[in-house]
Amino acid sequence: MTPFAGFGHQLRFVLRLDRVRGSVWFAAMIGVVLASALSVLSLYGTVAERQIYAQVATADAALKAIAGPGYGLAAAEPTEGAVVMNEVEMYTYVAFALMSVFMLVRHTRAEEDGDRAELVRAAPIGRLAPLAAAGTWVALLNVVIGIGLAIAMTVVGLPVAGSIAFAAAGVGLGLVFVGITAVTAQVASSARSARSTASATLGAFFILRAVGDIGSGRLSWLSPLGWAQSVRPYADERWWVLGLLLATAVALFGAAVTLSARRDLGAGILPQRPGRTEASPRLDGPLALALRLQRGSVIGWGVGMLISGYFLGLIADQADQLAENDAVAQILDQAGQGSITESYLATMMLMMAIIATGYTVSSMLRPRGEERDGRASPVLATPVGRRRWLFDHAAVAAGGTFLIMALCGLGAGIGYATSTGDAGQVLPLLASALTMVSPMLVLGAFAAALIGVRPGWSAIAWAGVAVVAVIGYLGETLNLPQWARDVSPFTHVPLVPAVPFDLLPVALLAAVTVALAGVAAVGISHRDIG
Amino acid sequence: MTTAISLEGVVKTFGSTQALDGLDLEVRTGEVHAYLGPNGAGKSVTIRILLGLIRQDRGRVELLGGDPWRDAVALHRRLAYVPGDVSLWPNLSGGEIIDYFARLRGDLDTRRRDDLIERFELDPRKRASTYSKGNRQKVALVTALSSSAELIILDEPTSGLDPLMETIFQDCIREMASEGRTILLSSHILAEVEKLCDRVTIIRQGRAVQSGTLSDLRTTTRTSMTVSTDEPITGLEDLEGVHSFRRDVDHVHFEVDDPAIAEVMRHLAGLGIRSLVSRPPTLEELFLREYGDEPVDG
Ligand SMILES: Nc1ncnc2c1ncn2[C@@H]1O[C@H](COP(=O)(O)OP(=O)(O)OP(=O)(O)O)[C@@H](O)[C@H]1O
Ligand SMILES: [Mg+2]
């Protein structure tokens, strides 16, 4: 039997499984980008408005770190396309990449962790067919969304060539991440680690290009996210860069196929060491077990946040230099109350905190996974109460959140001190990072309350993360009304060090957290475990 | 004699599924009690209620003198549980998992644990993700059997064990029984039940249909007979209380309800009995009948 036998069959099978999921990604991505583009077009309809936007954007380090170099903004009369790109391009690429990561792991490594892959592989299906079918399907989904995106951008009135370039760059990046994830799915020993390794790679690429874009731009060439931006949609498109993305994607996927041919089903390439004969004396309760299970992810997030914080701090002093122009400095000053550097740092902390909420929620959803997989019942059949069981997991989620944010703040402080020789920002940045923990815990407690009351709906906690991310990153772009922004707990937290610390909102957020935890406690004590 | 477990008229519904429908169950202290029933009968649901994981909609449940829902934590100090579907933390080794549960219960007995690990030939250093189904089950068994709990609840604990391990399991259960511990064993393996259990409860569709000692169940039900006579046997299959009538070359086989035995003997007497073998039904026959579609009133 050839290794690809049954490919077509397998492809139809995954297509059928993903009808809903695929449609949701399609609708969400096109919907958000379309809404953002329309909003930007209405905000910056005239050349004069766009000129002011361009002046500020090119001088704002925070915006550069998040959005990129802003190709086309330096023109005497910036086009609508250039402004729209500066607002939506980076998020769109990140979304393409994340979609590829989640969808591909779902059909490869996650299947192997369950027993279903064995059933499939026992059927007359070639060894490489499942990987090839999964890769083809996710690539196809990328292309379909890309086509939708190009049409949507054209329909709102942007030039056709730029719209195609924008969509193609997104698809290209998506394909690169199909390749990267296909490799991590072979190397890692579980779906969770395949997913987090691929996501961490995306994070590293983001930081590389953020640092590169604020500096000379050279570092951005080490990051596929930087390549995608270098296609320069609506700003003298450079089509050849698409070839770079495509070639990388093909090479990575080829590598994954080669690796996959060399390993056993269900195993990673990296071998597993034998475990301990007896448990360490510290493994003596649900808290210790939760710590043990989450050790890897806390360390991974901690290192990632420390390094990201370091680089964001390292480039902070360039925020001032970018804003040398007095008129621009004034505009920026009006935006935040603190200095330009301080408001840059505060914005960065907010952005990092929203990303790190991913940790808080995924950690808090662990007990739900334990319950679903049947590991909760035997534990709850011992003298461990339900509330203690849930709260021990919550303690790890909350403690981990504090830890990774502290590392982020510390990293930023050290980075800032490295470039300026001024260690005076270490403590303020630590304070800033820790202030951000309060809204993060609200989302964690929301997840816990769902587990307590409606465990079947606990995935809604992820929708909560998506909502605060859209409000946090795109609130301005979408020109959301204040009441809508108020939905996100991050809207209420003081942006230290740009503004002084204010206890009241933090205390209120803590009160909401406690109330949600109370709901979780009551819920878990009264419902069936199963 | 005291009761370790007693359920009266317990009802549990999940949406439109009636899982338990007025279930009665009594397990006496110190006995090995088999809990039998076809797939989906409600055995696991009963056990989850006894563990306080789910709550009955109606009916009275008592476990070791307490309420399993309200007094869960206190009662769990006194019991051990082996689930049917054993799911373990993939990155932990079997040895770690066994110790973890022992510490949760607060009764780690290393001598007993090591002894059991050796008898079940379990490699405790392997990570749980690499265990076979039978080995996962062994981890759960060692966890429960190494405890000093006074009540052990086992939900189909041996479905993945090989015959050799099955024998060792039976030895362990006998030892625990001889120490005076109470054991509730849900199982589909009838030979195991026959060897181990003092009393049996059979449920169907969420109701107990039989309960008693094995010999009670056998004698109060039917007898299997094989008969050959000089004259041809006619009309016997039409008698009230005669079932599963089958004719061989020179024998007939049938089962007869015990109250009808006298009538059957009268019928056969005139035909010149050459040979007659009668025996109690095998457990197999008993269960096939109880599991079958026509409900039987105990
Ligand atoms: N959480 C639940 N939600 C809905 N229905 C359930 C749930 N748990 C059990 N049931 C239903 O209750 C009935 C009894 O299930 P139970 O698991 O107790 O069967 P069982 O006797 O253990 O069967 P088996 O021998 O196959 O293990 C089944 O119809 C099952 O589908
Ligand atoms: Mg069951």
Side-chain angles (χ1 to χ4, degrees), chain B residues 124-168:
Chain B
R125 280 160 53 85
K126 274 189 144 183
R127 308 234 180 220
S129 57
T130 62
Y131 279 129
S132 65
K133 174 178 162 65
N135 281 324
R136 283 203 299 271
Q137 217 145 25
K138 287 184 199 171
V139 171
L141 280 172
V142 172
T143 298
L145 299 181
S146 65
S147 83
S148 54
E150 61 193 89
L151 170 66
I152 321 275
I153 298 178
L154 306 112
D155 191 354
E156 291 182 45
T158 58
S159 50
L161 293 191
D162 64 42
L164 201 66
M165 292 303 142
E166 168 74 39
T167 318
I168 292 169

Side-chain angles (χ1 to χ4, degrees), chain B residues 26-97:
Chain B
E26 188 188 284
V27 178
R28 297 174 192 157
T29 305
E31 75 177 0
V32 181
H33 194 107
Y35 194 38
L36 310 169
N39 295 130
K43 303 181 294 296
S44 298
V45 169
T46 313
I47 288 175
R48 298 179 72 73
I49 289 178
L50 289 174
L51 294 171
L53 295 170
I54 60 179
R55 192 177 204 172
Q56 73 274 19
D57 303 331
R58 258 180 297 130
R60 203 185 57 80
V61 182
E62 199 179 290
L63 178 99
L64 299 174
D67 175 343
W69 177 267
R70 207 190 49 221
D71 313 323
V73 172
L75 291 174
H76 291 170
R77 282 184 220 291
R78 300 162 60 193
L79 65 81
Y81 162 61
V82 179
D85 256 332
V86 182
S87 167
L88 306 170
W89 296 279
N91 290 328
L92 265 58
S93 71
E96 284 181 297
I97 293 170

Side-chain angles (χ1 to χ4, degrees), chain A residues 160-235:
Chain A
V160 179
S163 302
I164 293 176
F166 171 45
V171 174
L173 188 76
L175 295 182
V176 168
F177 271 86
V178 170
I180 288 173
T181 313
V183 170
T184 66
Q186 308 308 316
V187 178
S189 60
S190 72
R192 180 184 293 277
S193 86
R195 215 164 11 229
S196 34
T197 313
S199 311
T201 311
L202 176 63
F205 287 154
F206 192 95
I207 294 291
L208 266 178
R209 63 131 286 281
V211 175
D213 287 347
I214 291 185
S216 66
R218 220 171 291 139
L219 274 181
S220 307
W221 280 101
L222 293 178
S223 161
L225 272 172
W227 305 347
Q229 284 197 313
S230 313
V231 173
R232 302 193 178 180
Y234 307 107

Side-chain angles (χ1 to χ4, degrees), chain B residues 261-294:
Chain B
I261 290 180
E263 179 62 32
V264 167
M265 295 316 288
R266 265 196 295 280
H267 186 97
L268 291 172
L271 302 174
I273 299 176
R274 254 188 288 150
S275 75
L276 184 150
V277 180
S278 97
R279 57 175 173 77
T282 63
L283 258 192
E284 204 88 19
E285 284 166 340
L286 204 68
F287 292 129
L288 285 178
R289 186 149 52 83
E290 295 300 351
Y291 288 17
D293 264 326
E294 44 171 323

Side-chain angles (χ1 to χ4, degrees), chain A residues 272-286 289 292-293 370 373-375 377-386 525-530, chain B residues 12 14 48 51-55 69 73 76-77 79 81 83 87-93 95-96 99-101 103-105 113-114 124-127 129-130:
Chain A
Q272 284 219 338
R273 285 168 294 116
R276 308 168 59 108
T277 312
E278 298 184 4
S280 116
R282 284 187 311 255
L283 189 65
D284 60 354
L289 181 68
R292 165 76 196 272
L293 295 177
E370 293 278 290
D373 296 345
R375 289 189 291 261
S377 304
V379 171
L380 292 173
T382 69
V384 169
R386 294 150 173 244
S525 320
H526 286 89
R527 73 171 172 84
D528 286 353
I529 301 285
Chain B
K12 177 74 189 176
F14 295 101
R48 298 179 72 73
L51 294 171
L53 295 170
I54 60 179
R55 192 177 204 172
W69 177 267
V73 172
H76 291 170
R77 282 184 220 291
L79 65 81
Y81 162 61
S87 167
L88 306 170
W89 296 279
N91 290 328
L92 265 58
S93 71
E96 284 181 297
D99 286 3
Y100 175 63
F101 278 106
R103 292 203 185 116
L104 289 184
R105 274 195 315 268
R113 175 199 66 193
D114 295 343
R125 280 160 53 85
K126 274 189 144 183
R127 308 234 180 220
S129 57
T130 62

Side-chain angles (χ1 to χ4, degrees), chain A residues 284-292 388-389 391-396, chain B residues 100:
Chain A
D284 60 354
L287 183 63
L289 181 68
L291 269 173
R292 165 76 196 272
R388 162 152 176 236
W389 171 75
F391 277 83
D392 278 2
H393 279 280
V396 173
Chain B
Y100 175 63

